[in-house]
Amino acid sequence: MKFKDLTYQRPDFDKLIAEINELLDRLEAAESEEVFFETNKKIEDITNKYNEMFEIAYIRNTINTEDEFYDKEMEAFYEAGPRFNQVDHRHQTIRLNTPYRKAFEEKYGSMITARDELKRDVFDPSIMDDRVKESKLVNEYNKLTGGARIEFRGEVKNISGMTAFTQDKDRQTRKEAFEALNGWFADNLEELDRIYDELVKVRTQIANKLGYKTYTPIAYKLMERVDWDIEDARAYRKQILDVVVPFTQKLYKEQKQRIGIDDFKYYDVPLSFLSGNPKPIGAEEVLVKQASKMYHELSPETDEFFKAMVEKGMMDLTTKQGKAPGGYMTYLPISKMPYIFSNFNGTSGDVDVLTHEAGHAFQGYLTRNVFPSENNIITSEIAETHSMSMEFFTHPWMENFFGEDTEKYYYHHVTDALEFLPYGASIDEFQEEVYENPDMTPAERRAKYREIEKKYLPHLDYDGNEYLENGGRWQRQLHVYNYPFYYLDYTIAQVNAFQYFVWDMKDHKEAWESYLKLCHISGKLATKKALKEVGLKSPFEDGTIAEIIPKLEKYLDSLDKEKIK
Ligand code: ZN
């Protein structure tokens, strides 16, 4: 069935919760393994029905935010959400304490219960009010930044509306755009500082109530990091500092020469090429046709996947009036199909959707029959490995998307990914400092960020901009407010994807087989174990990054410099 023909009906929330609770009673009292497993399956069936309807409503709501019907449906789901969280919590508790736990783990692996344990560790009725306070503060931040009105050359823009100007070919435009953007943040500094200060305080209070000194271990548990910790993060960041930073500094020097600017300022960083960034050769119809051809040639698995996506209309790609911003991939558990949502706008980001989001979707499609579906819950560093690696496995087809801009695309894709690593590390180190020293004042925090920033991003010359000189840059990174410690994951996934890139150039067949295996492992193994299982080196291990960099350098050197201007 096509997505547009799927029937939506609001679930009867009361009835579903009563049914699940009844099944949970039976699960708790199960007199045999058979009853236990059978009941578990029934709970999943009900949950899937709920999730399918949620996803349909969510997708249709984002496709047309002006459609009041789905707007109301989403409100109903959000209202019912906490009640479903409660039954989830009950389910997890039963699973941890059941005499059939061992049998369960033997049958389905130990990741589900390992995650249950993490969730148990970070939950206590005494922190409920603190969590409410936390989400109110997060909302305050999102509302404040979401409602930003930035005056620029006689027009009023929001934050994302400024992006195009900060990348403009004209230097004065970029400079003024950045000044306007940071001017808004500077004007709201007190508020941004206050919200974050209160967030740090309330999170620390939560940690204390749960018996921890700081929030750091709580955040790691919430991120479901089963087999890596703060020590791993530190060792990993050190590799970035020692190996990546010297290389990216060299890349910035080359950029400076390429764009012909002697006094390279922070507002020059977004301009990679004087001729502008690589542009795709066409709009949705052309790009999807090329993607079909590409996935057909890449492997039988990707061919089947992409054909199903097209046939079932599981994509809504081009931007239009009323569509929600951004892009995402999600999954419909009854239809057993992924869905891709995006806002094609004629930039190279359009092609990224067909490689990156499609990478997520491909993994979801491959594992559509996994039971229990909780074995498909993946930590972000692994999920992003699936998607970021697909960006590299599809490299050989990029000429069909970028035409004469292909070499520029290659260069930009690799250097951009490399340059992201130090920034990601700076955000992570900053958060560690913040939560390990919760009594720092807002000014001390900003000074700390500037100090860290100078280590990882020494090329940044803020040209006397007071707000940035005083360490305000992180306030634009919503993860810092919304999801503590959620950021290093992206860089870890990037390092994994680089490994696949290098491997793919050496031996495509072997690299692709390993990638398929990683997709199938899904959430069944913890990060380090999963990587080891498929023959990737752990990014946390000293030497992993040092081994990759010279290979990427060689690749960049092999590109036709005449075409990269
Ligand atoms: Zn992604």
Side-chain angles (χ1 to χ4, degrees), residues 74-97:
M74 286 318 291
E75 256 175 52
F77 271 106
Y78 288 133
E79 211 171 285
R83 292 164 68 203
F84 281 89
N85 290 344
Q86 268 175 1
V87 286
D88 269 352
H89 181 69
R90 195 179 160 214
H91 191 184
Q92 288 149 17
T93 311
I94 294 171
R95 219 158 33 193
L96 283 178
N97 298 316

PDB file of all heavy atoms in Angstrom, residues 74-97:
ATOM      1  N   MET A  74      -1.784  15.292  16.691  1.00  0.00           N
ATOM      2  CA  MET A  74      -0.490  15.315  17.363  1.00  0.00           C
ATOM      3  C   MET A  74      -0.626  15.805  18.802  1.00  0.00           C
ATOM      4  O   MET A  74       0.016  15.283  19.703  1.00  0.00           O
ATOM      5  CB  MET A  74       0.505  16.216  16.603  1.00  0.00           C
ATOM      6  CG  MET A  74       1.028  15.623  15.313  1.00  0.00           C
ATOM      7  SD  MET A  74       1.429  13.864  15.439  1.00  0.00           S
ATOM      8  CE  MET A  74       2.857  13.909  16.510  1.00  0.00           C
ATOM      9  N   GLU A  75      -1.488  16.781  18.991  1.00  0.00           N
ATOM     10  CA  GLU A  75      -1.731  17.269  20.348  1.00  0.00           C
ATOM     11  C   GLU A  75      -2.220  16.135  21.241  1.00  0.00           C
ATOM     12  O   GLU A  75      -1.776  15.970  22.377  1.00  0.00           O
ATOM     13  CB  GLU A  75      -2.796  18.366  20.316  1.00  0.00           C
ATOM     14  CG  GLU A  75      -2.231  19.761  20.482  1.00  0.00           C
ATOM     15  CD  GLU A  75      -3.321  20.807  20.308  1.00  0.00           C
ATOM     16  OE1 GLU A  75      -4.369  20.700  20.981  1.00  0.00           O
ATOM     17  OE2 GLU A  75      -3.115  21.712  19.472  1.00  0.00           O
ATOM     18  N   ALA A  76      -3.141  15.334  20.690  1.00  0.00           N
ATOM     19  CA  ALA A  76      -3.686  14.214  21.460  1.00  0.00           C
ATOM     20  C   ALA A  76      -2.581  13.212  21.813  1.00  0.00           C
ATOM     21  O   ALA A  76      -2.507  12.707  22.938  1.00  0.00           O
ATOM     22  CB  ALA A  76      -4.789  13.530  20.660  1.00  0.00           C
ATOM     23  N   PHE A  77      -1.693  12.947  20.848  1.00  0.00           N
ATOM     24  CA  PHE A  77      -0.595  12.005  21.117  1.00  0.00           C
ATOM     25  C   PHE A  77       0.339  12.556  22.196  1.00  0.00           C
ATOM     26  O   PHE A  77       0.757  11.823  23.092  1.00  0.00           O
ATOM     27  CB  PHE A  77       0.200  11.736  19.829  1.00  0.00           C
ATOM     28  CG  PHE A  77      -0.346  10.590  19.028  1.00  0.00           C
ATOM     29  CD1 PHE A  77      -1.044  10.825  17.852  1.00  0.00           C
ATOM     30  CD2 PHE A  77      -0.158   9.277  19.442  1.00  0.00           C
ATOM     31  CE1 PHE A  77      -1.550   9.772  17.100  1.00  0.00           C
ATOM     32  CE2 PHE A  77      -0.653   8.217  18.701  1.00  0.00           C
ATOM     33  CZ  PHE A  77      -1.358   8.466  17.520  1.00  0.00           C
ATOM     34  N   TYR A  78       0.674  13.843  22.072  1.00  0.00           N
ATOM     35  CA  TYR A  78       1.595  14.410  23.053  1.00  0.00           C
ATOM     36  C   TYR A  78       0.982  14.396  24.453  1.00  0.00           C
ATOM     37  O   TYR A  78       1.671  14.201  25.449  1.00  0.00           O
ATOM     38  CB  TYR A  78       2.040  15.820  22.646  1.00  0.00           C
ATOM     39  CG  TYR A  78       2.985  15.794  21.458  1.00  0.00           C
ATOM     40  CD1 TYR A  78       2.820  16.640  20.374  1.00  0.00           C
ATOM     41  CD2 TYR A  78       4.050  14.881  21.419  1.00  0.00           C
ATOM     42  CE1 TYR A  78       3.681  16.601  19.278  1.00  0.00           C
ATOM     43  CE2 TYR A  78       4.905  14.830  20.334  1.00  0.00           C
ATOM     44  CZ  TYR A  78       4.724  15.683  19.259  1.00  0.00           C
ATOM     45  OH  TYR A  78       5.568  15.628  18.187  1.00  0.00           O
ATOM     46  N   GLU A  79      -0.315  14.576  24.494  1.00  0.00           N
ATOM     47  CA  GLU A  79      -0.991  14.553  25.786  1.00  0.00           C
ATOM     48  C   GLU A  79      -0.979  13.139  26.390  1.00  0.00           C
ATOM     49  O   GLU A  79      -0.790  12.960  27.581  1.00  0.00           O
ATOM     50  CB  GLU A  79      -2.434  15.027  25.603  1.00  0.00           C
ATOM     51  CG  GLU A  79      -2.980  15.741  26.810  1.00  0.00           C
ATOM     52  CD  GLU A  79      -4.325  16.367  26.467  1.00  0.00           C
ATOM     53  OE1 GLU A  79      -4.331  17.403  25.754  1.00  0.00           O
ATOM     54  OE2 GLU A  79      -5.340  15.786  26.881  1.00  0.00           O
ATOM     55  N   ALA A  80      -1.152  12.147  25.508  1.00  0.00           N
ATOM     56  CA  ALA A  80      -1.191  10.755  25.986  1.00  0.00           C
ATOM     57  C   ALA A  80       0.208  10.215  26.294  1.00  0.00           C
ATOM     58  O   ALA A  80       0.363   9.246  27.038  1.00  0.00           O
ATOM     59  CB  ALA A  80      -1.877   9.879  24.943  1.00  0.00           C
ATOM     60  N   GLY A  81       1.229  10.868  25.727  1.00  0.00           N
ATOM     61  CA  GLY A  81       2.607  10.381  25.833  1.00  0.00           C
ATOM     62  C   GLY A  81       3.053   9.940  27.221  1.00  0.00           C
ATOM     63  O   GLY A  81       3.489   8.804  27.390  1.00  0.00           O
ATOM     64  N   PRO A  82       2.910  10.816  28.238  1.00  0.00           N
ATOM     65  CA  PRO A  82       3.393  10.442  29.569  1.00  0.00           C
ATOM     66  C   PRO A  82       2.741   9.173  30.118  1.00  0.00           C
ATOM     67  O   PRO A  82       3.383   8.396  30.828  1.00  0.00           O
ATOM     68  CB  PRO A  82       3.012  11.658  30.437  1.00  0.00           C
ATOM     69  CG  PRO A  82       2.916  12.794  29.484  1.00  0.00           C
ATOM     70  CD  PRO A  82       2.446  12.211  28.189  1.00  0.00           C
ATOM     71  N   ARG A  83       1.465   8.932  29.755  1.00  0.00           N
ATOM     72  CA  ARG A  83       0.805   7.714  30.244  1.00  0.00           C
ATOM     73  C   ARG A  83       1.428   6.476  29.605  1.00  0.00           C
ATOM     74  O   ARG A  83       1.557   5.435  30.247  1.00  0.00           O
ATOM     75  CB  ARG A  83      -0.703   7.773  29.938  1.00  0.00           C
ATOM     76  CG  ARG A  83      -1.402   8.851  30.763  1.00  0.00           C
ATOM     77  CD  ARG A  83      -2.754   9.181  30.199  1.00  0.00           C
ATOM     78  NE  ARG A  83      -3.691   8.067  30.341  1.00  0.00           N
ATOM     79  CZ  ARG A  83      -4.774   7.908  29.572  1.00  0.00           C
ATOM     80  NH1 ARG A  83      -5.037   8.774  28.609  1.00  0.00           N
ATOM     81  NH2 ARG A  83      -5.576   6.899  29.763  1.00  0.00           N
ATOM     82  N   PHE A  84       1.807   6.598  28.350  1.00  0.00           N
ATOM     83  CA  PHE A  84       2.476   5.466  27.702  1.00  0.00           C
ATOM     84  C   PHE A  84       3.886   5.276  28.255  1.00  0.00           C
ATOM     85  O   PHE A  84       4.378   4.149  28.360  1.00  0.00           O
ATOM     86  CB  PHE A  84       2.479   5.635  26.181  1.00  0.00           C
ATOM     87  CG  PHE A  84       1.158   5.255  25.575  1.00  0.00           C
ATOM     88  CD1 PHE A  84       0.151   6.190  25.424  1.00  0.00           C
ATOM     89  CD2 PHE A  84       0.906   3.934  25.207  1.00  0.00           C
ATOM     90  CE1 PHE A  84      -1.080   5.827  24.900  1.00  0.00           C
ATOM     91  CE2 PHE A  84      -0.327   3.568  24.680  1.00  0.00           C
ATOM     92  CZ  PHE A  84      -1.332   4.518  24.527  1.00  0.00           C
ATOM     93  N   ASN A  85       4.523   6.381  28.638  1.00  0.00           N
ATOM     94  CA  ASN A  85       5.838   6.258  29.282  1.00  0.00           C
ATOM     95  C   ASN A  85       5.728   5.445  30.569  1.00  0.00           C
ATOM     96  O   ASN A  85       6.612   4.662  30.906  1.00  0.00           O
ATOM     97  CB  ASN A  85       6.420   7.636  29.603  1.00  0.00           C
ATOM     98  CG  ASN A  85       6.822   8.379  28.345  1.00  0.00           C
ATOM     99  OD1 ASN A  85       6.941   7.779  27.267  1.00  0.00           O
ATOM    100  ND2 ASN A  85       7.012   9.682  28.456  1.00  0.00           N
ATOM    101  N   GLN A  86       4.628   5.670  31.264  1.00  0.00           N
ATOM    102  CA  GLN A  86       4.428   4.939  32.522  1.00  0.00           C
ATOM    103  C   GLN A  86       4.314   3.431  32.290  1.00  0.00           C
ATOM    104  O   GLN A  86       4.931   2.645  33.004  1.00  0.00           O
ATOM    105  CB  GLN A  86       3.168   5.434  33.229  1.00  0.00           C
ATOM    106  CG  GLN A  86       3.471   6.547  34.216  1.00  0.00           C
ATOM    107  CD  GLN A  86       2.212   7.122  34.826  1.00  0.00           C
ATOM    108  OE1 GLN A  86       1.095   6.666  34.513  1.00  0.00           O
ATOM    109  NE2 GLN A  86       2.360   8.108  35.671  1.00  0.00           N
ATOM    110  N   VAL A  87       3.537   3.035  31.276  1.00  0.00           N
ATOM    111  CA  VAL A  87       3.434   1.594  31.024  1.00  0.00           C
ATOM    112  C   VAL A  87       4.763   1.031  30.512  1.00  0.00           C
ATOM    113  O   VAL A  87       5.129  -0.098  30.836  1.00  0.00           O
ATOM    114  CB  VAL A  87       2.262   1.198  30.076  1.00  0.00           C
ATOM    115  CG1 VAL A  87       0.943   1.306  30.769  1.00  0.00           C
ATOM    116  CG2 VAL A  87       2.269   1.953  28.786  1.00  0.00           C
ATOM    117  N   ASP A  88       5.479   1.837  29.737  1.00  0.00           N
ATOM    118  CA  ASP A  88       6.818   1.417  29.293  1.00  0.00           C
ATOM    119  C   ASP A  88       7.703   1.131  30.498  1.00  0.00           C
ATOM    120  O   ASP A  88       8.408   0.123  30.549  1.00  0.00           O
ATOM    121  CB  ASP A  88       7.495   2.557  28.504  1.00  0.00           C
ATOM    122  CG  ASP A  88       7.213   2.456  27.022  1.00  0.00           C
ATOM    123  OD1 ASP A  88       6.640   1.436  26.607  1.00  0.00           O
ATOM    124  OD2 ASP A  88       7.536   3.415  26.286  1.00  0.00           O
ATOM    125  N   HIS A  89       7.654   2.067  31.424  1.00  0.00           N
ATOM    126  CA  HIS A  89       8.478   1.936  32.624  1.00  0.00           C
ATOM    127  C   HIS A  89       8.110   0.651  33.380  1.00  0.00           C
ATOM    128  O   HIS A  89       8.981  -0.082  33.839  1.00  0.00           O
ATOM    129  CB  HIS A  89       8.295   3.171  33.510  1.00  0.00           C
ATOM    130  CG  HIS A  89       9.112   3.136  34.751  1.00  0.00           C
ATOM    131  ND1 HIS A  89      10.484   3.246  34.726  1.00  0.00           N
ATOM    132  CD2 HIS A  89       8.764   2.972  36.050  1.00  0.00           C
ATOM    133  CE1 HIS A  89      10.942   3.148  35.964  1.00  0.00           C
ATOM    134  NE2 HIS A  89       9.925   2.990  36.787  1.00  0.00           N
ATOM    135  N   ARG A  90       6.820   0.388  33.437  1.00  0.00           N
ATOM    136  CA  ARG A  90       6.364  -0.822  34.126  1.00  0.00           C
ATOM    137  C   ARG A  90       6.867  -2.069  33.395  1.00  0.00           C
ATOM    138  O   ARG A  90       7.336  -3.026  34.023  1.00  0.00           O
ATOM    139  CB  ARG A  90       4.823  -0.824  34.174  1.00  0.00           C
ATOM    140  CG  ARG A  90       4.309  -1.819  35.155  1.00  0.00           C
ATOM    141  CD  ARG A  90       2.814  -1.874  35.290  1.00  0.00           C
ATOM    142  NE  ARG A  90       2.506  -3.169  35.877  1.00  0.00           N
ATOM    143  CZ  ARG A  90       1.436  -3.885  35.610  1.00  0.00           C
ATOM    144  NH1 ARG A  90       0.521  -3.428  34.780  1.00  0.00           N
ATOM    145  NH2 ARG A  90       1.261  -5.068  36.171  1.00  0.00           N
ATOM    146  N   HIS A  91       6.782  -2.044  32.083  1.00  0.00           N
ATOM    147  CA  HIS A  91       7.265  -3.159  31.266  1.00  0.00           C
ATOM    148  C   HIS A  91       8.751  -3.439  31.539  1.00  0.00           C
ATOM    149  O   HIS A  91       9.174  -4.572  31.756  1.00  0.00           O
ATOM    150  CB  HIS A  91       7.044  -2.810  29.788  1.00  0.00           C
ATOM    151  CG  HIS A  91       7.246  -3.965  28.852  1.00  0.00           C
ATOM    152  ND1 HIS A  91       7.186  -3.844  27.501  1.00  0.00           N
ATOM    153  CD2 HIS A  91       7.535  -5.278  29.078  1.00  0.00           C
ATOM    154  CE1 HIS A  91       7.411  -5.028  26.935  1.00  0.00           C
ATOM    155  NE2 HIS A  91       7.619  -5.905  27.875  1.00  0.00           N
ATOM    156  N   GLN A  92       9.538  -2.356  31.569  1.00  0.00           N
ATOM    157  CA  GLN A  92      10.983  -2.505  31.806  1.00  0.00           C
ATOM    158  C   GLN A  92      11.253  -3.105  33.187  1.00  0.00           C
ATOM    159  O   GLN A  92      12.119  -3.973  33.339  1.00  0.00           O
ATOM    160  CB  GLN A  92      11.670  -1.140  31.688  1.00  0.00           C
ATOM    161  CG  GLN A  92      11.742  -0.624  30.263  1.00  0.00           C
ATOM    162  CD  GLN A  92      11.693   0.898  30.196  1.00  0.00           C
ATOM    163  OE1 GLN A  92      11.911   1.583  31.198  1.00  0.00           O
ATOM    164  NE2 GLN A  92      11.403   1.421  29.011  1.00  0.00           N
ATOM    165  N   THR A  93      10.512  -2.621  34.163  1.00  0.00           N
ATOM    166  CA  THR A  93      10.732  -3.121  35.526  1.00  0.00           C
ATOM    167  C   THR A  93      10.419  -4.618  35.609  1.00  0.00           C
ATOM    168  O   THR A  93      11.173  -5.383  36.221  1.00  0.00           O
ATOM    169  CB  THR A  93       9.833  -2.337  36.518  1.00  0.00           C
ATOM    170  OG1 THR A  93      10.007  -0.947  36.262  1.00  0.00           O
ATOM    171  CG2 THR A  93      10.201  -2.629  37.951  1.00  0.00           C
ATOM    172  N   ILE A  94       9.324  -5.023  34.976  1.00  0.00           N
ATOM    173  CA  ILE A  94       8.962  -6.445  34.996  1.00  0.00           C
ATOM    174  C   ILE A  94      10.051  -7.279  34.331  1.00  0.00           C
ATOM    175  O   ILE A  94      10.472  -8.317  34.835  1.00  0.00           O
ATOM    176  CB  ILE A  94       7.598  -6.664  34.294  1.00  0.00           C
ATOM    177  CG1 ILE A  94       6.479  -5.992  35.103  1.00  0.00           C
ATOM    178  CG2 ILE A  94       7.312  -8.154  34.102  1.00  0.00           C
ATOM    179  CD1 ILE A  94       5.136  -5.959  34.404  1.00  0.00           C
ATOM    180  N   ARG A  95      10.540  -6.772  33.213  1.00  0.00           N
ATOM    181  CA  ARG A  95      11.549  -7.512  32.452  1.00  0.00           C
ATOM    182  C   ARG A  95      12.844  -7.678  33.257  1.00  0.00           C
ATOM    183  O   ARG A  95      13.520  -8.703  33.159  1.00  0.00           O
ATOM    184  CB  ARG A  95      11.846  -6.748  31.165  1.00  0.00           C
ATOM    185  CG  ARG A  95      12.032  -7.626  29.985  1.00  0.00           C
ATOM    186  CD  ARG A  95      11.794  -6.931  28.678  1.00  0.00           C
ATOM    187  NE  ARG A  95      12.148  -5.525  28.644  1.00  0.00           N
ATOM    188  CZ  ARG A  95      11.764  -4.713  27.657  1.00  0.00           C
ATOM    189  NH1 ARG A  95      11.034  -5.163  26.663  1.00  0.00           N
ATOM    190  NH2 ARG A  95      12.103  -3.439  27.667  1.00  0.00           N
ATOM    191  N   LEU A  96      13.173  -6.668  34.066  1.00  0.00           N
ATOM    192  CA  LEU A  96      14.404  -6.761  34.852  1.00  0.00           C
ATOM    193  C   LEU A  96      14.262  -7.742  36.008  1.00  0.00           C
ATOM    194  O   LEU A  96      15.229  -8.360  36.436  1.00  0.00           O
ATOM    195  CB  LEU A  96      14.790  -5.376  35.394  1.00  0.00           C
ATOM    196  CG  LEU A  96      15.421  -4.411  34.397  1.00  0.00           C
ATOM    197  CD1 LEU A  96      15.695  -3.072  35.065  1.00  0.00           C
ATOM    198  CD2 LEU A  96      16.717  -4.979  33.822  1.00  0.00           C
ATOM    199  N   ASN A  97      13.029  -7.872  36.508  1.00  0.00           N
ATOM    200  CA  ASN A  97      12.859  -8.669  37.730  1.00  0.00           C
ATOM    201  C   ASN A  97      12.265 -10.054  37.497  1.00  0.00           C
ATOM    202  O   ASN A  97      12.123 -10.831  38.429  1.00  0.00           O
ATOM    203  CB  ASN A  97      11.992  -7.888  38.717  1.00  0.00           C
ATOM    204  CG  ASN A  97      12.660  -6.580  39.115  1.00  0.00           C
ATOM    205  OD1 ASN A  97      13.863  -6.554  39.381  1.00  0.00           O
ATOM    206  ND2 ASN A  97      11.913  -5.497  39.106  1.00  0.00           N
TER     207      ASN A  97
END
